[in-house]
Amino acid sequence: MHIPDGILSPMVLGSSAIVSVTVLSVGVKKVKHSLAQSAIPVMGVLAAFIFASQMVNFPLLGAAASGHLIGGALAAILFGFWPATIVMTTVVSIQAFLFQDGGITALGVNILNMAILAPFAAWITYKLLRKLPIKNNISIFLSSWVSVMVTAIVAALQLGISGVVDYGLALKTLMFWHAFIGIGEGLITASIMPFVLRSSFDLKRREYANDETC
């Protein structure tokens, strides 16, 4: 869902950058004091996996945006919201600076959408679903799907506010394609999660990112 340079209005770019910097500054402080050292190697591996997954994308709305797996749900459910923002920001920033996947001037927007909103939507949804009598893999799947759809809706609104395309067209196109992308993201996330939790990094004790990261 990367947005390139020269698409969005200065108002959208500036406000998104301010929000992103503010959230990330809080996230860095929280992660620094609460994250277990044993989780850091797994975060690095996860970032590499998400990076590779996001590189497979296709243009939407005349290349005003792109469709691809996000990975924010996987990071958020594993580590919690704040660590997920750091993982996803690393991925999005490397893509922008080294591979021109997403604009430099639009970096604040792309971080807001994929590194903040996507993990947050997944994290909140997962916590709510865990209170219901449904299987955990279903909660993971639905949380992943919701994270993709929330990000698609926000990106569509950003394009509409900037006058790039009509609101209706932006919402219809991004929501349609990302509804399918969200299914793929949900299936991949639900499939990977048990494998990661069986690893030797003692993540299982975190119970899929408990409240200490909120």
Side-chain angles (χ1 to χ4, degrees):
M1 195 171 295
H2 294 80
I3 296 178
D5 289 320
I7 297 294
L8 300 178
S9 68
M11 180 188 71
V12 173
L13 293 173
S15 59
S16 298
I18 291 173
V19 173
S20 296
V21 169
T22 302
V23 173
L24 289 176
S25 63
V26 176
V28 169
K29 293 178 181 178
K30 287 185 173 291
V31 169
K32 185 177 180 180
H33 291 95
S34 64
L35 187 66
Q37 291 295 315
S38 60
I40 295 177
V42 183
M43 289 176 65
V45 173
L46 181 63
F49 172 79
I50 294 173
F51 177 87
S53 300
Q54 286 195 8
M55 294 302 288
V56 181
N57 58 63
F58 53 92
L60 297 173
L61 295 171
S66 61
H68 56 76
L69 297 176
I70 298 175
L74 179 60
I77 296 173
L78 267 178
F79 300 107
F81 170 64
W82 295 111
T85 63
I86 306 302
V87 170
M88 295 301 298
T89 296
T90 301
V91 172
V92 173
S93 298
I94 291 175
Q95 288 174 335
F97 285 106
L98 297 185
F99 296 91
Q100 289 76 54
D101 194 3
I104 302 300
T105 60
L107 184 58
V109 173
N110 289 324
I111 288 175
L112 174 62
N113 294 350
M114 292 182 286
I116 296 175
L117 293 179
F120 183 75
W123 181 70
I124 288 295
T125 303
Y126 182 76
K127 288 177 70 66
L128 292 174
L129 291 175
R130 287 285 281 169
K131 298 178 180 179
L132 302 177
I134 59 178
K135 293 184 177 179
N136 191 52
N137 59 346
I138 296 178
S139 297
I140 294 172
F141 174 85
L142 292 176
S143 300
S144 302
W145 188 86
V146 168
S147 74
V148 171
M149 294 306 295
V150 167
T151 308
I153 291 172
V154 173
L157 294 177
Q158 291 166 342
L159 293 170
I161 293 172
S162 299
V164 178
V165 293
D166 177 73
Y167 282 103
L169 177 61
L171 286 168
K172 180 180 178 180
T173 302
L174 292 185
M175 290 181 67
F176 175 79
W177 287 109
H178 282 87
F180 296 103
I181 293 172
I183 293 174
E185 178 128 3
L187 292 173
I188 291 173
T189 305
S191 299
I192 289 176
M193 195 69 67
F195 172 78
V196 175
L197 291 177
R198 286 197 300 267
S199 70
S200 60
F201 293 101
D202 194 29
L203 290 180
K204 193 169 184 178
R205 65 185 176 80
R206 298 177 65 84
E207 278 297 319
Y208 294 133
N210 277 326
D211 294 339
E212 82 276 0
T213 55
C214 65

